[in-house]
Amino acid sequence: PTYWKERGVDELTWFRTVERVYTEAKEGCYETLVRAVHLANATARSDGRAAAAAFGLCSPPEDADAFVFWVTEALESMPQIDYQDAGSPVNATCEAVRRELQGAELLAALAAVTRRYYGVATDACLPQTSARNLQVAGGTPGDGPAPASSWGYQSCSETLHPFSIPPGSWRPYRFSLPALTALCRQYYNVTPDLHRLERWSG
């Protein structure tokens, strides 16, 4: 978009804001979350039953990527709703996923905050088909094209931004307009326009 440079915005601004919010909530929180997500990723791939047990799934995740992206979607969404009347989810997450935790305890803490974000009762068994994010590569930061989704359609038609995720984060993501254009056309027969909001708002 035209005015990004003069406003100090670049392709990593969105995710750096997520990182900063967690870091400001508690020193080391973001790095601990990265470590926890990497552990969840490794567990889902090597021992699906253990991942299912930790996250309270009814069965092991069939798609490890989609499962991990379900977790990171929660972590990336919390800073956007970090209000007291929403339970201050960032602070609650940083208090739960503590730096000193390792192994099964770290995985359990990540599972607890993820389930809380999605409103899953503590004693409920969650179908593995509900614990997944099917956006390609986990989705464009801030949300992106997704099938059969009002938010996905809005991303394609109005609000897609060229955001990426820096190396060393909890998931890799590099923005590709040609790839996302193909998805938007496939899903909704819409071609994304990165400048639409800028023209509309001035």
Side-chain angles (χ1 to χ4, degrees), residues 135-148:
Q135 291 191 64
V136 174
T140 305
D143 216 8

Side-chain angles (χ1 to χ4, degrees), residues 75-148:
L75 297 179
E76 291 170 27
S77 298
M78 288 183 208
Q80 301 179 73
I81 58 166
D82 193 36
Y83 306 107
Q84 286 188 350
D85 58 3
S88 299
V90 168
N91 286 334
T93 293
C94 291
E95 288 301 317
V97 187
R98 304 188 307 279
R99 177 185 288 178
E100 66 269 20
L101 297 180
Q102 302 286 337
E105 290 185 334
L106 179 62
L107 199 62
L110 178 64
V113 299
T114 302
R115 288 171 63 92
R116 183 168 61 227
Y117 169 78
Y118 287 111
V120 182
T122 55
D123 58 350
C125 168
L126 184 67
Q128 66 89 19
T129 52
S130 297
R132 59 185 186 179
N133 172 357
L134 297 178
Q135 291 191 64
V136 174
T140 305
D143 216 8

Side-chain angles (χ1 to χ4, degrees), residues 12-202:
L12 301 180
T13 295
W14 192 94
F15 198 86
R16 291 298 189 198
T17 301
V18 169
E19 181 179 347
R20 174 176 54 78
V21 169
Y22 281 111
T23 299
E24 289 178 350
K26 189 172 186 179
E27 184 179 355
C29 179
Y30 172 74
E31 291 78 8
T32 303
L33 289 171
V34 171
R35 185 163 53 87
V37 171
H38 288 172
L39 177 61
N41 189 6
T43 304
R45 296 177 189 282
S46 65
D47 189 348
R49 291 186 180 278
F55 283 81
L57 308 184
C58 304
S59 60
E62 296 177 1
D63 183 334
D65 285 336
F67 165 69
V68 173
F69 295 150
W70 174 73
V71 174
T72 58
E73 181 180 10
L75 297 179
E76 291 170 27
S77 298
M78 288 183 208
Q80 301 179 73
I81 58 166
D82 193 36
Y83 306 107
Q84 286 188 350
D85 58 3
S88 299
V90 168
N91 286 334
T93 293
C94 291
E95 288 301 317
V97 187
R98 304 188 307 279
R99 177 185 288 178
E100 66 269 20
L101 297 180
Q102 302 286 337
E105 290 185 334
L106 179 62
L107 199 62
L110 178 64
V113 299
T114 302
R115 288 171 63 92
R116 183 168 61 227
Y117 169 78
Y118 287 111
V120 182
T122 55
D123 58 350
C125 168
L126 184 67
Q128 66 89 19
T129 52
S130 297
R132 59 185 186 179
N133 172 357
L134 297 178
Q135 291 191 64
V136 174
T140 305
D143 216 8
S149 161
S150 57
W151 291 114
Y153 175 77
Q154 186 179 39
S155 175
C156 285
S157 61
E158 298 180 23
T159 60
L160 184 63
H161 296 294
F163 288 132
S164 296
I165 294 179
S169 303
W170 48 54
R171 69 178 174 103
Y173 186 86
R174 186 73 176 178
F175 182 87
S176 168
L177 183 57
L180 293 172
T181 296
L183 287 176
C184 287
R185 289 174 177 167
Q186 174 188 338
Y187 296 154
Y188 304 109
N189 196 29
V190 169
T191 299
D193 179 353
L194 301 184
H195 301 278
R196 178 170 179 175
L197 279 181
E198 190 173 78
R199 289 196 306 272
W200 176 74
S201 61

